[in-house]
Amino acid sequence: MAFLGTAVRKVASCRPALSPLCRSATTSRRYSSSSEPTTEKSVPYENVLKVEEGGSGPTKPLPKSAEAVVIGGGSLGCQTVYHLAKMGMTNVVLLERDRLTAGTTWHTAGLLWQLRPSDVEVELLAHTRQVISHDLEQETGLETGWIQNGGLFIASNKQRLDEYKRLMSLGKVYGIESHVLSPAETKDLYPLMNVDDLYGTLYVPKDGTMDPAGTCTTLSRAATARGATVIENCPVTGIQVSTDDMGVKRVKAVETFHGTIQTPVVVNCAGVWAAKLGEMAGVKVPLVAMHHAYVVTERIEGIQVSDKFAFSLFDLDWDVFMQHIEGAINRVPALEQTGIKSTVCGPESFTADHKPLMGEAPEVRGFFLGCGFNSAGMMLGGGCGRELAHWIIHGRPEKDMYGYDIRRFHHSLTDNNKWIRERSHESYAKNYSVVFPFDEPLASRNMRTDPFHKVLTEQGCVFQERHGWERPGWFNQDGAAPVLDYDWYGAYDISKNQNYKYNELLGKEYTFDYPPHHHVIKNECLSCRHGVSVFNMSYFGKFYLTGPDAKKAADWLFSADVNKIPGSTVYTCMLNKRGGSEADLTVSRLEAGAANLPLAPEANGDAYYLAIGGGVAEHNWNHIKTVLQDEGLNCQLTDYSEDMGMISIQGPKSREVLQEILDTDLSNEAFPFSTHKVCNAVGHKVRAMRLSFVGELGWELHIPKDSCLPVYQAVMAAGAKHSIINAGYRAIDSLSIEKGYRHWHADLRPDDTPLEAGLAFTCKMKSTIPFLGRASLEKQKAEGLRRRIVCFTIDEKVPMFGLEAIFRNGVPVGHLRRSDYGFFIDKQIGYGYIRNPDGGVVNADFIKSGKFTLERMGVVYEAKPHLKSPFDPSNNRVKGIYPDNYHNVYKANAQ
């Protein structure tokens, strides 16, 4: 018999000829009569089609038409067709090229966790668990192979144990039982484990496992019972796309060797073949197929539930494989004298940001994605299947699925092979890495840079990456720290980057304490509060909305009344039908006139300039285009994001600095808050806007890219006598939370309404103007808010980052969405949405009458709730109103 410790090269039969960056799946599986997994070599999709053309044919006749066709019979395909049928879409077809689970699902371990470092994912996992452990058996009388054997998560360093403590606190909000155990307690629970080198473990008693084949079979039967049709042995050969009268591409039909199905909706759940399926419709699907392997041992005495042990890994480099085996033997010493029963190897699809690809593709209406699950398709399948079904039927998901939405990626990246391969490799390499608050990718950086990038790099800028853009994070005081080309972590005979300062700085921030550069962020923030700072915000999306129906579109799209006089700038939200916030942005009304690009489009009628946070700009672009299409509005939306830079000069001294370089009067009377002008800056045309994202007197300068550096250099020269400094987004995060401003996709998401988020002032409810989402807001206002955002401060100086539990009178009522340190008020600040545990209205009295605490890593801290921002609640500073002798006091304190 081959023992794992002495004859481990038996595993080499699974070693692939291809590198982990293979372009097609490398294995497939058919069930043997014994139901034990075996492996066989598979072929690319094109060869599958050649084989199947003369194959045995589909298991059922194809219908002529369907409301939706789901392609792919794995976890996501089966969950999606099940939920579509359950929601009432019964004329739906699932097509599988082979047998159910034949792609990736067959070799999944079937694990189901309950805790992840994301509130949305916790909720998605909870629904999967509900479906697998309860609903399916109740509906069909069949078992899914669900076993509630509990989960034990190992911490071999302090950072990992801190992450587990964070998860334990978040779990209390959702009623998920979990315990952080000492090494001795872990040994009592699992005697086979070596705990000598552990810091501790996280034990989640109600985690479990499911049988992948049994689950998918039961899902398909439940869907069929509701009218759905599941057809195996039927590969798709093409997708027909038509163009409507407005020039919009839409799904028309699905082609197979055995017939064509007319349908307006295709759902791509094809796993590692999803990119090939996307090509058939002209849709880009940015994922890469990777290897996943695991070893199943012979029987081991003392193992709970099963009598065998399995461990898996994702890198099939032999040296790395050996390290995993040695690690497994160290953790469970009994493995050294245990035989190998079988080895399994199969494909997994990974994406650039380690998140799935879901939602309607931007290229073709009616083409939906449900793929790229980074080895989590089984456990996320139930929750994501439900959200995808809701997306298809109602036009959007119920939960905040922005992080999974295919439209989060800029279109310039989704067919960039370098970006796809490098970033997907890094997400694969970091599959089980600790999720730190300030982590940044190293792969495929510098894909989108602005005109200030080089000069800011030279000044020590430590950049953050947001969907391709490089934006300033903070400024290192010890010289330049440029981002280098990706070194693949030294794999594939590629030399690792040496003396890599950026990576070294990043590594020092791998902590759940205050990062070592906390004092640098403090200096950037207080320089803005007391003097003047300049922020490079060029990564913002910059769009023009023009055309005959532009005013009608603006009224419908934006929650605020943006049809003020030309020269006005309005902060507003864009909503969905349910009143949820799809974006917050500024909209500037422009003068009609001839084109002066990029500062002004040609406009014979109404025209608007939209400035939107760059990390979500692509999502917002697609949201606007979709609404315009659905409403049949004759408008043009043009993107000038790459043609302009944008710097924001903020602080009590900003007016003195800018008055030296702009040829316009910057007084309150001549240039009031929320207005804009095109003016000259040292001989260059710019659009100046009096706005602030940090709660200070300040202006944004929107600058044609060729003029960016001269204008920036003039600002820095004029500001030198005022000690002007560069500041980054880490400072913006702190300053904005201190002022109480929202950050989209942090404390403002598509499942939050403006009323819940404290942004009722952005809604034109007092007018009679209809706007998207208005009916839902009116209903919510009449019924009273069942949840609302609250600001909390704590006296203790302990770091919080979001996901900390909120308790009212000892009862969990929510969790922090966002938290940062407020350096001016010298307190930790957090914002979170709270609910009334009795289901009642959450009003001011409910907040004032409660005793609130926040739990961080199992430790509870008293918290003070605030109904208004604790910093400048009267908004005097943005109006340029500062206390008398303010600057003299600051100078004296600084000295």
Side-chain angles (χ1 to χ4, degrees):
M1 174 180 291
F3 293 111
L4 197 59
T6 58
V8 40
R9 289 185 184 272
K10 285 275 286 184
V11 182
S13 60
C14 186
R15 190 178 185 185
L18 295 173
S19 77
L21 290 173
C22 55
R23 290 191 177 138
S24 63
T26 56
T27 57
S28 65
R29 179 234 194 173
R30 299 180 189 276
Y31 280 94
S32 63
S33 58
S34 64
S35 294
E36 289 295 338
T38 59
T39 60
E40 61 180 28
K41 191 92 172 209
S42 80
V43 289
Y45 195 79
E46 298 92 331
N47 293 347
V48 170
L49 297 182
K50 293 176 184 176
V51 172
E52 295 294 338
E53 186 174 9
S56 59
T59 54
K60 294 178 185 176
L62 271 66
K64 294 188 179 299
S65 64
E67 294 176 87
V69 175
V70 180
I71 302 172
S75 171
L76 258 294
C78 291
Q79 288 279 11
T80 301
V81 75
Y82 164 75
H83 282 93
L84 282 170
K86 197 168 184 178
M87 291 181 189
M89 184 179 281
T90 56
N91 183 19
V92 58
V93 175
L94 185 150
L95 297 178
E96 163 55 44
R97 66 173 184 88
D98 192 345
R99 299 289 184 88
L100 296 183
T101 77
T104 294
T105 302
W106 70 264
H107 61 85
T108 180
L111 303 178
L112 179 53
W113 309 330
Q114 294 179 90
L115 293 175
R116 299 268 280 205
S118 159
D119 58 331
V120 174
E121 290 189 358
V122 168
E123 294 170 10
L124 295 173
L125 292 169
H127 183 68
T128 300
R129 189 180 186 281
Q130 174 68 23
V131 170
I132 301 303
S133 67
H134 179 268
D135 292 356
L136 283 175
E137 187 171 352
Q138 290 289 313
E139 293 173 23
T140 66
L142 301 173
E143 295 186 0
T144 60
W146 168 252
I147 301 173
Q148 185 177 296
N149 51 342
L152 193 59
F153 301 85
I154 298 167
S156 56
N157 56 54
K158 179 183 181 297
Q159 292 89 345
R160 180 71 76 179
L161 191 63
D162 285 347
E163 182 181 47
Y164 290 160
K165 291 176 181 177
R166 279 170 53 80
L167 295 180
M168 178 185 68
S169 291
L170 176 62
K172 293 178 182 180
V173 178
Y174 290 97
I176 298 171
E177 180 187 359
S178 66
H179 310 274
V180 172
L181 304 182
S182 68
E185 291 169 325
T186 302
K187 186 73 171 179
D188 290 340
L189 181 66
Y190 199 85
L192 288 174
M193 185 181 294
N194 169 32
V195 300
D196 293 345
D197 57 348
L198 294 187
Y199 278 66
T201 57
L202 177 69
Y203 174 48
V204 189
K206 294 183 180 178
D207 283 1
T209 62
M210 65 190 106
D211 169 46
T215 297
C216 289
T217 298
T218 306
L219 285 165
S220 67
R221 291 189 183 182
T224 302
R226 284 187 161 88
T229 303
V230 177
I231 304 174
E232 298 174 278
N233 294 335
C234 188
V236 171
T237 58
I239 296 173
Q240 295 179 14
V241 174
S242 62
T243 303
D244 66 17
D245 294 339
M246 294 184 66
V248 179
K249 293 182 178 180
R250 299 182 183 274
V251 167
K252 181 181 179 183
V254 174
E255 299 172 346
T256 77
F257 287 122
H258 310 286
T260 298
I261 304 174
Q262 301 293 318
T263 183
V265 173
V266 163
V267 191
N268 183 352
C269 298
V272 293
W273 289 291
K276 185 60 62 176
L277 196 70
E279 288 178 11
M280 296 179 183
V283 170
K284 296 176 287 187
V285 184
L287 57 76
V288 173
M290 305 285 192
H291 289 303
H292 172 224
Y294 62 86
V295 173
V296 180
T297 71
E298 297 287 355
R299 185 172 182 274
I300 301 177
E301 290 290 343
I303 284 192
Q304 301 158 355
V305 181
S306 172
D307 61 357
K308 292 183 280 291
F309 187 92
F311 67 92
S312 69
L313 61 154
F314 289 90
D315 195 323
L316 293 184
D317 177 88
W318 181 246
D319 293 333
V320 176
F321 198 90
M322 286 295 294
Q323 292 174 23
H324 284 283
I325 292 174
E326 291 166 1
I329 292 172
N330 172 64
R331 187 61 57 224
V332 182
L335 288 174
E336 185 160 14
Q337 298 302 316
T338 301
I340 301 170
K341 185 176 182 64
S342 59
T343 63
V344 179
C345 180
E348 293 274 4
S349 53
F350 279 75
T351 64
D353 60 358
H354 205 256
K355 298 294 182 185
L357 308 177
M358 292 180 62
E360 191 173 31
E363 299 95 337
V364 179
R365 299 295 303 272
F367 191 99
F368 287 81
L369 300 176
C371 52
F373 273 79
N374 304 275
S375 196
M378 204 73 212
M379 67 174 71
L380 289 172
C384 288
R386 179 175 67 173
E387 294 305 308
L388 192 50
H390 202 278
W391 219 325
I392 293 163
I393 294 172
H394 300 289
R396 61 155 285 105
E398 283 192 297
K399 300 188 184 303
D400 165 35
M401 300 298 287
Y402 166 75
Y404 290 11
D405 192 339
I406 182 61
R407 299 178 299 172
R408 68 191 184 271
F409 294 129
H410 191 262
H411 61 270
S412 67
L413 301 176
T414 51
D415 62 354
N416 185 312
N417 286 331
K418 178 179 184 291
W419 178 80
I420 295 169
R421 288 166 64 87
E422 289 189 4
R423 286 294 299 272
S424 297
H425 173 268
E426 187 174 31
S427 76
Y428 168 81
K430 297 174 71 172
N431 192 45
Y432 290 111
S433 295
V434 177
V435 180
F436 290 107
F438 300 121
D439 196 11
E440 294 291 333
L442 297 175
S444 257
R445 295 291 296 268
N446 300 320
M447 300 297 289
R448 304 176 73 197
T449 59
D450 60 60
F452 307 104
H453 183 263
K454 183 176 184 294
V455 68
L456 295 185
T457 299
E458 293 168 350
Q459 296 181 58
C461 184
V462 179
F463 283 94
Q464 301 172 333
E465 189 273 350
R466 296 296 180 269
H467 296 304
W469 274 114
E470 297 291 323
R471 74 176 193 182
W474 55 282
F475 284 81
N476 177 43
Q477 303 303 300
D478 299 322
V483 179
L484 304 181
D485 289 343
Y486 188 45
D487 62 6
W488 301 82
Y489 291 88
Y492 318 121
D493 298 321
I494 296 172
S495 298
K496 290 192 70 173
N497 289 321
Q498 301 298 315
N499 302 315
Y500 191 0
K501 192 169 185 178
Y502 180 87
N503 195 20
E504 292 170 5
L505 291 172
L506 201 60
K508 291 177 181 178
E509 301 216 319
Y510 286 169
T511 176
F512 292 105
D513 295 324
Y514 288 121
H517 311 103
H518 194 58
H519 67 285
V520 179
I521 314 301
K522 176 180 180 179
N523 181 59
E524 293 181 15
C525 290
L526 294 183
S527 293
C528 179
R529 287 278 182 249
H530 297 302
V532 59
S533 296
V534 57
F535 301 89
N536 174 19
M537 304 175 73
S538 299
Y539 94 121
F540 261 48
K542 309 167 196 77
F543 308 148
Y544 287 115
L545 179 66
T546 59
D549 290 338
K551 181 179 184 302
K552 187 184 296 184
D555 282 338
W556 183 247
L557 277 166
F558 306 124
S559 61
D561 184 3
V562 300
N563 282 302
K564 310 292 186 182
I565 61 171
S568 63
T569 297
V570 178
Y571 173 68
T572 182
C573 293
M574 286 193 294
L575 310 181
N576 52 49
K577 285 187 287 189
R578 296 174 60 209
S581 303
E582 293 289 339
D584 69 328
L585 66 157
T586 59
V587 178
S588 298
R589 182 86 182 273
L590 305 180
E591 296 272 6
N596 181 22
L597 295 174
L599 288 177
E602 183 167 356
N604 296 321
D606 298 293
Y608 307 86
Y609 176 56
L610 285 53
I612 307 174
V616 297
E618 186 77 4
H619 168 84
N620 297 150
W621 169 273
N622 283 289
H623 172 76
I624 295 169
K625 295 288 285 186
T626 298
V627 172
L628 297 179
Q629 291 168 9
D630 291 346
E631 297 299 317
L633 295 170
N634 184 6
C635 296
Q636 289 76 50
L637 186 68
T638 51
D639 185 355
Y640 279 87
S641 303
E642 311 271 355
D643 299 281
M644 285 191 286
M646 173 183 165
I647 55 175
S648 183
I649 299 89
Q650 299 288 323
K653 292 289 188 178
S654 59
R655 179 182 278 130
E656 296 174 53
V657 172
L658 289 174
Q659 194 65 81
E660 286 194 32
I661 68 167
L662 297 180
D663 68 346
T664 189
D665 184 355
L666 299 181
S667 66
N668 284 339
E669 295 75 23
F671 208 140
F673 186 71
S674 285
T675 62
H676 66 92
K677 295 179 181 179
V678 173
C679 51
N680 285 300
V682 291
H684 298 267
K685 289 282 188 184
V686 302
R687 185 178 298 280
M689 295 187 182
R690 187 170 166 192
L691 295 170
S692 180
F693 284 95
V694 297
E696 297 293 338
L697 172 71
W699 279 261
E700 295 174 1
L701 302 183
H702 297 242
I703 314 166
K705 64 181 180 181
D706 291 340
S707 300
C708 282
L709 283 180
V711 173
Y712 168 76
Q713 290 162 351
V715 168
M716 298 306 286
K721 58 179 169 291
H722 302 290
S723 302
I724 193 170
I725 67 167
N726 292 299
Y729 268 84
R730 291 275 284 276
I732 289 178
D733 290 342
S734 170
L735 293 164
S736 64
I737 199 172
E738 193 169 50
K739 183 64 185 84
Y741 292 156
R742 303 287 170 264
H743 271 203
W744 197 83
H745 207 241
D747 45 11
L748 181 65
R749 306 192 311 202
D751 51 347
D752 306 320
T753 73
L755 307 186
E756 296 167 338
L759 297 177
F761 70 91
T762 67
C763 301
K764 47 184 179 259
M765 303 290 283
K766 294 181 180 179
S767 76
T768 59
I769 302 171
F771 61 91
L772 182 59
R774 176 168 186 149
S776 295
L777 296 188
E778 289 175 337
K779 182 174 184 291
Q780 185 179 60
K781 184 178 180 181
E783 293 175 348
L785 298 179
R786 262 50 182 184
R787 62 194 285 271
R788 63 182 290 178
I789 201 166
V790 178
C791 172
F792 297 96
T793 56
I794 61 172
D795 292 331
E796 291 88 348
K797 288 181 170 57
V798 293
M800 296 184 180
F801 305 102
L803 301 182
E804 291 79 12
I806 304 170
F807 293 83
R808 179 183 181 273
N809 300 338
V811 178
V813 292
H815 65 274
L816 294 186
R817 286 275 193 86
R818 179 180 169 215
S819 184
D820 216 316
Y821 200 83
F823 293 101
F824 189 88
I825 68 171
D826 200 25
K827 289 183 184 295
Q828 187 73 31
I829 306 168
Y831 277 83
Y833 289 81
I834 66 170
R835 295 181 181 273
N836 187 329
D838 297 329
V841 171
V842 178
N843 53 28
D845 289 339
F846 178 82
I847 297 168
K848 292 176 181 177
S849 63
K851 180 182 178 182
F852 287 90
T853 55
L854 303 178
E855 180 177 317
R856 169 193 180 268
M857 296 185 189
V859 180
V860 175
Y861 301 90
E862 290 188 9
K864 181 180 179 180
H866 302 266
L867 296 178
K868 287 188 175 183
S869 165
F871 171 80
D872 190 25
S874 299
N875 291 321
N876 286 328
R877 298 169 77 100
V878 296
K879 301 171 187 173
I881 303 172
Y882 290 90
D884 291 340
N885 77 346
Y886 177 81
H887 301 301
N888 293 332
V889 171
Y890 166 59
K891 182 178 287 188
N893 289 339
Q895 293 173 346

